[in-house]
Amino acid sequence: MTEWTLHGGNLSHAMRAFPNAPGPWLDLSTGINADPWPIPADLAIDWHRLPDAAALTELERAAATCFGTDPARVLALPGTEMGLRALATLGLPAPLRHVAPGYRTHAHALGDSTPIAFADVGRTAARGGTILLANPANPDGRLTTRADLMALTEILAARAGWLVVDEAFVDAQDDASIVPLLGPDAPVIVMRSFGKFFGLAGVRLGFAIGPVALIARWRAMLGSWPLSAAAIAIGTAAYRDTDWIAATRLRLVDRAAALDTMLARHGLAATGASPLFRLIDGEAAALFAHLARQGILTRPFDYDPRWLRLGVPATAQDLNRLDRALANG
């Protein structure tokens, strides 16, 4: 199952590997909101000119308002993946550590980084350096309180250390982000993803939030046109759509609860605080193949053969399809 343990997605490979599966495929492998922000048909995108610097500034201002911070602390990136891989160029202090299990990219983001268990984060922070973790965590969806993260920040800062928090899934949960609590010079970098909550991963848009001086230096490294005109226009309009954001957060909670109830009927206990995905602990390989043969793609993990992650279905029809597939065992 190596093809599906690196990242979610890879639907084209699944279609080749399971050619007799009924279509259309239901992709639950990524945790990306399956009910995306509706791009207005009249959204203006100027494909003729280079992306406008003023428009990029407006995007960062709109995102900063949504994040609850100063626009000078916000850097728009061509996807969070690229932002994570740039961390190794920022001169963050050693020793470098990342919480595992977690996002596969985290193991490479800081360079020569050592994995640590979440339970050891506080003890490890007392030695300074840099710690990278996700909140909500992946793949189990564990949500660390903001108070605990701020306490961790203080421990690291007292030893000239830094904290990097990957908040890729946090937009689905109001009042869960650490960003509004951070002072202007706090030694913390927060990564934010656009595509997961807004359901538009193909836009390739992400953000880094950090101290003004670090963000300014990072911005200079990106050059003059880091984003496409489409990413700028779509991102700006989406972050300003506060009604859609609020309504979507409520809908996601309801859908996640419906998924939990359905999984429980099949004897599957779901874990995770993020309303975008759930983790189930069982015989992942057999269940992955069983669902794939019925045209439903999920996410296994090579470091734990019992774990299988499912994105939350967007519609009652998709939930019913998953219900029927599980019953057809």
Side-chain angles (χ1 to χ4, degrees):
M1 297 199 299
T2 305
E3 299 84 354
W4 296 284
T5 59
L6 295 178
H7 295 287
N10 209 354
L11 186 58
S12 61
H13 188 89
M15 295 172 70
R16 292 193 298 271
F18 298 91
N20 297 320
W25 276 76
L26 175 59
D27 188 356
L28 302 179
S29 67
T30 64
I32 294 169
N33 184 1
D35 185 16
W37 180 72
I39 300 174
D42 60 351
L43 184 66
I45 300 174
D46 188 346
W47 293 107
H48 178 64
R49 294 176 176 81
L50 288 168
D52 184 70
L56 178 58
T57 299
E58 284 301 307
L59 166 63
E60 292 173 343
R61 182 175 291 115
T65 299
C66 190
F67 300 159
T69 192
D70 181 350
R73 303 186 67 243
V74 176
L75 173 66
L77 298 163
T80 309
E81 171 82 6
M82 185 172 291
L84 286 166
R85 293 183 181 277
L87 291 173
T89 69
L90 300 180
L92 296 173
L96 307 170
R97 302 177 179 89
H98 65 278
V99 172
Y103 294 96
R104 188 173 295 274
T105 301
H106 287 188
H108 311 288
L110 295 174
D112 187 15
S113 177
T114 301
I116 59 173
F118 179 77
D120 296 331
V121 165
R123 177 178 56 81
T124 304
R127 302 205 298 270
T130 300
I131 295 177
L132 167 60
L133 58 82
N135 195 47
N138 180 50
D140 60 5
R142 179 191 61 249
L143 186 66
T144 304
T145 68
R146 299 199 295 181
D148 285 346
L149 286 175
M150 290 302 294
L152 183 62
T153 297
E154 293 174 5
I155 294 171
L156 284 164
R159 295 154 181 81
W162 280 68
L163 178 66
V164 182
V165 184
D166 188 341
E167 292 188 342
F169 287 101
V170 84
D171 295 87
Q173 295 157 281
D174 196 16
D175 297 330
S177 172
I178 194 178
V179 172
L181 305 184
L182 296 173
D185 299 317
V188 180
I189 298 172
V190 179
M191 309 301 299
R192 293 288 282 265
S193 169
F194 172 78
K196 290 181 173 61
F197 174 70
F198 288 95
L200 298 171
V203 172
R204 304 312 305 140
L205 176 60
F207 297 87
I209 301 101
V212 173
L214 180 142
I215 291 299
R217 177 162 55 92
W218 199 343
R219 180 175 283 111
M221 291 167 56
L222 289 177
S224 299
W225 304 287
L227 301 181
S228 70
I232 293 171
I234 292 170
T236 303
Y239 279 116
R240 288 175 174 167
D241 194 347
T242 55
D243 289 342
W244 184 90
I245 290 171
T248 298
R249 283 174 175 157
L250 295 175
R251 286 194 297 267
L252 286 171
V253 170
D254 290 341
R255 291 170 187 159
L259 175 61
D260 290 345
T261 299
M262 185 273 288
L263 291 173
R265 289 202 307 269
H266 296 282
L268 299 171
T271 61
S274 173
L276 284 169
F277 63 90
R278 288 291 188 262
L279 184 73
I280 56 177
D281 190 342
E283 294 300 330
L287 186 54
F288 171 85
H290 171 72
L291 292 175
R293 285 192 292 269
Q294 298 178 76
I296 300 175
L297 184 61
T298 55
R299 173 69 193 281
F301 299 90
D302 53 7
Y303 49 76
D304 195 318
R306 294 185 57 82
W307 283 2
L308 194 71
R309 195 187 68 189
L310 286 75
V312 175
T315 66
Q317 291 81 1
D318 288 344
L319 184 65
N320 289 338
R321 181 177 175 184
L322 177 61
D323 190 7
R324 293 192 304 271
L326 290 170
N328 184 25

